[in-house]
Amino acid sequence: MCPHAIEVETPVSDGEGCALCSASLDDLGVRLHDGVATLRVWSQNASAIELVIFDETDLDWETAQLALERRPGGVWEITTELLKPGTRYALRVDGAHSPGNTFNPETLLLDPYARGLAQGDGYEEWRSVVIEDGFDWGGVAKPQTSLDRSVIYEGHVKGLTKRHPGVPPALHGTYAGVAHPAMIEYYRELGITAVELLPVQAFASEPRLLDRGLSNYWGYNTLNFFTPHAAYATEDSRKEGPEAVLREFKGMVKLLHEAGLEVILDVVYNHTNEEGIGGPRTSLRGIDNALYYRQQEDGSYIDTTGCGNTLDTATPAAARLVLDSLRYWTTEMQIDGFRFDLATALGRDAANSYDPQHPLLHAIRTDPVLADAKIIAEPWDVGFGGWQTGNFPTGWSEWNDRYRDRVRNFWLSDIDYARRASAPTGIGGFANRLAGSANTFSDERGPLASINFVTAHDGFTLSDLVSYDVKHNEANGEGNHDGADMNRSFNHGAEGPTDDPVILAARRKAMRNLLGTLLFSAGVPMLTAGDEFGRTQRGNNNAYCQDSAISWLNWDHEPWQQDLFAHASLLTRLREENPALRPLRYARLGEHIPNASVMDWYDQDGETMEVEQWNDPRNRTLQYVASSTPDKEAFNRILLVVHGTESPIDVRLPEIDGVSRYVALWSSAEERPSPVETVHRPGDVLALPGTSMRLFRAE
């Protein structure tokens, strides 16, 4: 029986039932067997496909050309002893000229399923390489951290270690560097559970960037869906070849797993580096342009990604390409999860409308190979109807931009506005995000559908968020027109660097409030690398092309940065120690729901919040009590006090049945966390400074 139990509108020619499971799409790429290899390539519209073999050292020297034979279902096949581990090869594809097709039998193309790549002299001079997969994992298993215990750390392979003094220079900016003992010790001290890496599937920089002396630093421009990006390997591995690059990548994963850390990949399946018509022709465009990319009837591209092309996942071959790539990274590379860039594009049907029941979205979540993988959507693209936060299928988690915006508003733009007039909104919307965004995600999906974040690679860093009112992207060479204009940031009285101690203190407290909110909210927190010590990009909110000190983490920290790190590591520990902060499900009034947190809300006087108080702009103080309903962990109850104006206030701790004392665990008002756990009684009155938070364990 088909594991996906789905139908596709346009099945392959020999397919019955689930088109994604059609046998004609099995075993594409090169498979080694019995001293020979079989190459299978899919192209419904081609009239001929030729395999070209190259010399090992001279990628321009063709040593053999062999014709592939057409098989049912649009697959072309050849079995030959010339394809062996290390062989460099390419494809030439011919076909009829008509709207939608762009065949050119002179162009050398990559095998979409190539496991290795070699680059020649030019931008488009790539060759596929036959790889013999094999690696000794030494019995190291995936950590399989549950979502409720996950703390995701989003970072860039190069940026993480390029300047780290504890990592040997030969490993700076490499896969090996990411898993160096100095980095593993740091991850553990910080308390994260998963490293989410910006794209590591082989990518290429756009010609327009190269012409300006820049490069695509982030990597959202995929060249091949199966191959690790070679530039992130050490020089020794690169010299040894694609198999050594693969071993280094797997070695990184193995070491991180040994340390109990998961590896999540940011994957870009929505488009490729081939851009719009006239852009680089490296693979899919020359193999079957009409069926791999979304197009109008005249052959013009339907671009819902803003990158020139959109993969047409309404066709079985394109959808299967994505699914097979995910299976490969999950099994051969032992990856623990995936964050899907512009995931809405993957869920568009043949009419280009988003469908939450799209066969590919369903298959990703139901495929047995991916059963334990963390599946995370960036739930938007730039096409019509592209914003789909909260509308992905059960089993998917989503980047929650509503959370990001509301939290930024509450602690930053609302405070900025209040300095000129009064706070524009009350605390109700913020409380909803704190409690797991139940107005965005269904009961069935629960709070773990929400990937909570305040910052990400795209946008201001945490430090810049509290230091700049506007973007400063001049270094990108686009006249400061790129990047978001709406940032919900607040510079606290000075744009950028300042020596004003009052402004600097306000900024530091704002960062602590944002980090505290992130780690104490129901859902899955994602921390952007460097935010834990207040790194800056000097106001650049779109550093995608900055392979420079703007993007690399600086590990030389001032005392205030060390203090901020101490707060961040304490916050992750408190989240782990208090299950009431990380419910798996939403609570329901009058029902006992296992692994939900029963939430009660009190005002500054310790009285139950009244309906009219929630959205009253004059009321921005809240006491939030969460009581766990565990089935495995011990019972836990916390009190979180939130005060969202710059004026100090007195707060009376609520009197609750079964609570005799409150143990103070954390305060955002402190420059460095206090090691002393003070005890307070119900009914005690505490003085809170402006814009601050406090966490207590209720006993």
Side-chain angles (χ1 to χ4, degrees):
M1 178 180 176
C2 163
H4 312 126
I6 54 176
E7 302 285 337
V8 174
E9 294 178 7
T10 53
V12 292
S13 59
D14 69 337
E16 296 182 359
C18 173
L20 289 181
C21 295
S22 171
S24 65
L25 295 175
D26 289 347
D27 297 326
L28 295 179
V30 173
R31 294 292 186 273
L32 299 167
H33 58 94
D34 305 322
V36 297
T38 297
L39 168 66
R40 286 166 52 84
V41 179
W42 180 86
S43 178
Q44 188 71 49
N45 291 309
S47 60
I49 298 183
E50 183 180 61
L51 167 65
V52 183
I53 306 292
F54 295 88
D55 180 74
E56 264 189 48
T57 58
D58 186 348
L59 295 183
D60 291 324
W61 182 7
E62 299 180 13
T63 60
Q65 301 87 26
L66 299 93
L68 277 69
E69 295 184 5
R70 187 169 189 128
R71 298 284 189 256
V75 171
W76 299 73
E77 184 177 298
I78 186 172
T79 298
T80 173
E81 61 184 13
L82 295 181
L83 287 172
K84 54 190 177 183
T87 299
R88 274 67 170 156
Y89 69 100
L91 305 171
R92 287 195 177 104
V93 183
D94 198 3
H97 292 276
S98 61
N101 289 319
T102 60
F103 294 111
N104 185 338
E106 301 302 315
T107 303
L108 292 168
L109 303 169
L110 289 175
D111 173 6
Y113 282 76
R115 269 41 169 186
L117 297 180
Q119 186 175 15
D121 295 331
Y123 175 83
E124 298 179 60
E125 292 299 311
W126 295 92
R127 304 290 181 261
S128 304
V129 180
V130 178
I131 296 293
E132 186 172 28
D133 287 333
F135 182 79
D136 183 6
W137 291 95
V140 176
K142 296 181 180 182
Q144 295 189 330
T145 307
S146 60
L147 261 180
D148 67 299
R149 291 179 178 269
S150 294
V151 179
I152 298 171
Y153 188 65
E154 187 203 39
H156 186 283
V157 169
K158 186 173 185 178
L160 282 170
T161 64
K162 175 65 178 174
R163 288 187 156 183
H164 198 293
V167 174
L171 305 186
H172 281 172
T174 67
Y175 298 125
V178 170
H180 185 271
M183 293 301 298
I184 288 176
E185 180 183 1
Y186 180 81
Y187 305 142
R188 284 174 159 170
E189 186 179 359
L190 178 56
I192 56 103
T193 67
V195 178
E196 179 177 308
L197 298 174
L198 267 64
V200 297
Q201 292 176 344
F203 62 87
S205 292
E206 296 87 337
R208 64 177 177 82
L209 290 177
L210 297 174
D211 290 343
R212 299 207 306 268
L214 299 171
S215 63
N216 190 321
Y217 173 71
W218 286 349
Y220 292 89
N221 202 42
T222 312
L223 175 70
N224 176 271
F225 295 138
F226 290 83
T227 308
H229 191 60
Y232 293 156
T234 58
E235 184 178 1
D236 286 347
S237 292
R238 295 198 306 272
K239 286 180 178 178
E240 190 176 341
E243 286 198 345
V245 172
L246 192 62
R247 286 196 301 273
E248 184 177 325
F249 182 92
K250 292 179 177 180
M252 173 193 70
V253 175
K254 178 180 177 180
L255 289 171
L256 291 172
H257 282 177
E258 281 182 332
L261 295 161
E262 293 189 313
V263 182
I264 298 173
L265 299 187
D266 194 334
V267 287
V268 188
Y269 294 114
N270 56 79
H271 76 283
T272 74
N273 74 299
E274 293 186 310
E275 302 184 32
I277 294 293
R281 181 196 302 264
T282 54
S283 186
L284 302 182
R285 176 173 293 139
I287 293 175
D288 201 320
N289 183 67
L291 292 175
Y292 270 124
Y293 293 122
R294 294 187 180 275
Q295 301 174 37
Q296 306 282 2
E297 290 185 3
D298 63 359
S300 59
Y301 279 178
I302 298 171
D303 179 13
T304 71
T305 67
C307 299
N309 66 67
T310 304
L311 195 70
D312 188 0
T313 54
T315 65
R320 180 65 177 270
L321 175 64
V322 174
L323 195 61
D324 285 346
S325 172
L326 293 170
R327 290 164 170 166
Y328 177 75
W329 289 91
T330 301
T331 54
E332 291 295 330
M333 313 293 253
Q334 290 291 288
I335 295 302
D336 302 282
F338 304 91
R339 178 267 188 188
F340 293 82
D341 180 63
L342 301 181
T344 298
L346 302 180
R348 291 185 178 272
D349 59 21
N352 297 303
S353 297
Y354 174 75
D355 178 7
Q357 300 306 314
H358 189 284
L360 178 58
L361 301 184
H362 187 78
I364 288 171
R365 190 57 285 175
T366 59
D367 191 284
V369 175
L370 305 176
D372 295 324
K374 291 175 171 62
I375 303 297
I376 302 167
E378 181 184 38
W380 51 79
D381 65 13
V382 301
F384 181 77
W387 187 65
Q388 294 292 335
T389 305
N391 200 25
F392 271 70
T394 298
W396 283 73
S397 296
E398 302 174 35
W399 273 26
N400 189 349
D401 56 318
R402 292 179 175 180
Y403 176 94
R404 174 201 63 199
D405 294 349
R406 177 59 69 178
V407 171
R408 288 187 182 190
N409 281 347
F410 185 80
W411 289 118
L412 299 175
S413 54
D414 285 1
I415 304 302
D416 180 22
Y417 190 89
R419 287 190 179 184
R420 299 188 300 273
S422 60
T425 60
I427 203 167
F430 176 84
N432 182 281
R433 300 303 162 194
L434 191 68
S437 297
N439 64 342
T440 300
F441 301 102
S442 66
D443 282 350
E444 182 182 18
R445 299 180 66 191
L448 298 183
S450 179
I451 303 296
N452 297 331
F453 67 108
V454 176
T455 68
H457 67 276
D458 187 1
F460 280 144
T461 66
L462 185 68
S463 177
D464 289 353
L465 197 63
V466 303
S467 304
Y468 293 91
D469 279 352
V470 295
K471 64 188 180 184
H472 296 269
N473 298 355
E474 290 80 7
N476 296 352
E478 300 178 35
N480 205 35
H481 296 302
D482 62 304
D485 293 316
M486 174 63 75
N487 295 286
R488 295 175 166 85
S489 60
F490 178 33
N491 67 19
H492 291 84
E495 187 71 0
T498 180
D499 293 326
D500 188 317
V502 174
I503 292 175
L504 292 174
R507 289 176 176 178
R508 292 194 297 268
K509 186 169 60 168
M511 285 190 278
R512 296 192 294 268
N513 285 328
L514 290 164
L515 287 175
T517 302
L518 177 65
L519 272 303
F520 294 160
S521 294
V524 183
M526 185 189 78
L527 180 66
T528 306
D531 278 354
E532 70 275 15
F533 54 76
R535 84 174 183 97
T536 179
Q537 290 181 169
R538 303 197 291 272
N540 192 321
N541 75 350
N542 189 36
Y544 77 102
C545 57
Q546 295 299 322
D547 188 357
S548 67
I550 290 177
S551 297
W552 305 333
L553 272 62
N554 184 348
W555 295 94
D556 183 15
H557 299 159
E558 298 178 18
W560 73 266
Q561 293 179 291
Q562 297 170 8
D563 291 343
L564 185 61
F565 177 84
H567 276 279
S569 59
L570 173 59
L571 291 170
T572 59
R573 178 168 63 81
L574 291 174
R575 181 180 180 84
E576 171 61 23
E577 292 174 351
N578 292 276
L581 292 169
R582 42 183 176 81
L584 281 70
R585 300 178 178 89
Y586 295 128
R588 288 198 292 270
L589 187 64
E591 296 184 43
H592 176 80
I593 308 295
N595 299 308
S597 287
V598 177
M599 300 171 183
D600 296 295
W601 309 89
Y602 302 90
D603 62 18
Q604 68 190 59
D605 298 318
E607 302 294 334
T608 300
M609 286 278 285
E610 301 292 341
V611 173
E612 61 272 12
Q613 290 179 289
W614 285 107
N615 296 313
D616 186 346
R618 296 169 298 178
N619 180 52
R620 289 172 61 87
T621 305
L622 177 74
Q623 299 191 74
Y624 160 54
V625 175
S627 305
S628 68
T629 56
D631 60 1
K632 294 179 181 177
E633 298 181 85
F635 172 75
N636 173 243
R637 180 156 46 195
I638 60 92
L639 166 65
L640 181 64
V641 183
V642 178
H643 177 48
T645 70
E646 290 191 295
S647 299
I649 194 171
D650 288 338
V651 170
R652 182 176 180 272
L653 300 181
E655 299 184 43
I656 303 172
D657 288 344
V659 175
S660 61
R661 66 177 195 163
Y662 294 103
V663 179
L665 302 177
W666 178 76
S667 170
S668 70
E670 297 173 343
E671 287 287 352
R672 189 169 182 86
S674 171
V676 179
E677 292 185 350
T678 59
V679 176
H680 304 272
R681 303 296 176 185
D684 284 356
V685 175
L686 303 183
L688 263 64
T691 54
S692 62
M693 303 174 69
R694 292 197 68 175
L695 180 73
F696 302 85
R697 184 173 61 250
E699 298 178 344

